[in-house]
Amino acid sequence: MKVVTGCVHAWILLRISSEADTAIFHKEGLLEYHLLFTHPGEYFTNMFQSGYSTGYAGMFSSTNSYWNDLTSNLIIKFLSICDIFTFGYYYVNVIFYNAAIFFGAIGLHRVFNTVYPGRQYLLVVTCFLLPSLLFFSSTIHKDGIILATIGIAVFNIYQAIHISGFTLKRVLYIFLALILMFLQRNYVSLAFLPAAFAWIVCVVKKYPALKTFIIIYIAGAILFFSAGLLAPALNLPEKVTNKQWAFNHLPAAATYIKVDSLPPNFRGFLLNSPQALNHVLLRPAFSDIHLSGSLIPLAIELFCYQLLVLLFIFYRNKTIDKDPFIFFGYFFGFSVLLIIGYTIPVIGAIVRYRSTFLPFILTPLICAVDWVKIKSSFQIFK
């Protein structure tokens, strides 16, 4: 299903524009593929060369830096290797791409299956079949890679703290997943670290989950806003502000929405948080459809999730699951969603970026709903 979805999504994108990111990756991958046979020395070294006067500076820059280009260059180099076996056929590359990233989704599903035993059908939906998650993670782009790295890191952390301990193999898998996550979207890996640390502390020390997460996140927030006092390079609020500026100066998109300027300080982040939460949790609304007809299915999907929240409120099970992994998912997911809301002014991009983190937000809700009670309620009206 992921392969079919990836092909359909790519076909739609290519019908709209030949300059879609996935099309550019494919074209650049073909150039690298031919370079392998004509100038193999350059092929194996060009990814490590910086063409900028600043050299390898600007690790957190959103434009015009070696590190920003590396996020795309890694995908392009991967596709050039796929082209050796697929002879440059894009839709065959989709098969290779989804085969490579599928292990992460499986790892995430296995963890949820351990936390919520007996709910395998619901978990298949939340880990694989949520429409926007399936749609965007199946196309050759960064989203599927981010989902894969998160799944690999989560699975190996869960195995380490519950079964095997932090063996060399587990640590290596976690480290490599975090490195790739950082190289693709550095802010996701930075949001992952405090959530993972709190999760590990809760399990190893058997501390109360909610209290532990709150304490660690308060400490993390203090560090986030004060690290710049130690060195300008550690001014993380400014990095977020710069990312917002970079998105605002991209070519205008059909689903653009106004985002207030974000001052790089605690007061600015606090005042902008209601707008950020509105954008990332409540858009696209049906009132946004006038911007683009492509928002119709996305608005319907979000409406279904809002109905799910209502079902959770009125039909949830009385027992509350306090597994630290659930708190990890909520704190990690919402922290990334907040960054997305602060920085991205395009609804279509918000939906794409948000989709990767839906399993962490929706799975506990779906699994906490008393579906038997709902079924019996409807039978009363028959």
Side-chain angles (χ1 to χ4, degrees), residues 128-174:
F128 300 105
L129 300 179
L130 297 175
S132 57
L133 174 68
L134 176 63
F135 197 64
F136 292 112
S137 68
S138 301
T139 308
I140 298 175
H141 212 298
K142 302 171 189 176
D143 306 283
I145 299 173
I146 292 297
L147 179 62
T149 56
I150 292 172
I152 291 170
V154 163
F155 174 77
N156 283 281
I157 291 174
Y158 190 90
Q159 292 292 308
I161 59 181
H162 287 285
I163 300 174
S164 66
F166 284 94
T167 62
L168 179 61
K169 181 179 74 170
R170 295 294 178 201
V171 171
L172 182 62
Y173 286 152
I174 295 167

Side-chain angles (χ1 to χ4, degrees), residues 108-124:
L108 188 61
H109 175 265
R110 288 179 64 180
V111 173
F112 273 121
N113 197 42
T114 304
V115 175
Y116 293 109
R119 298 184 175 100
Q120 58 268 28
Y121 296 113
L122 293 176
L123 296 177
V124 167

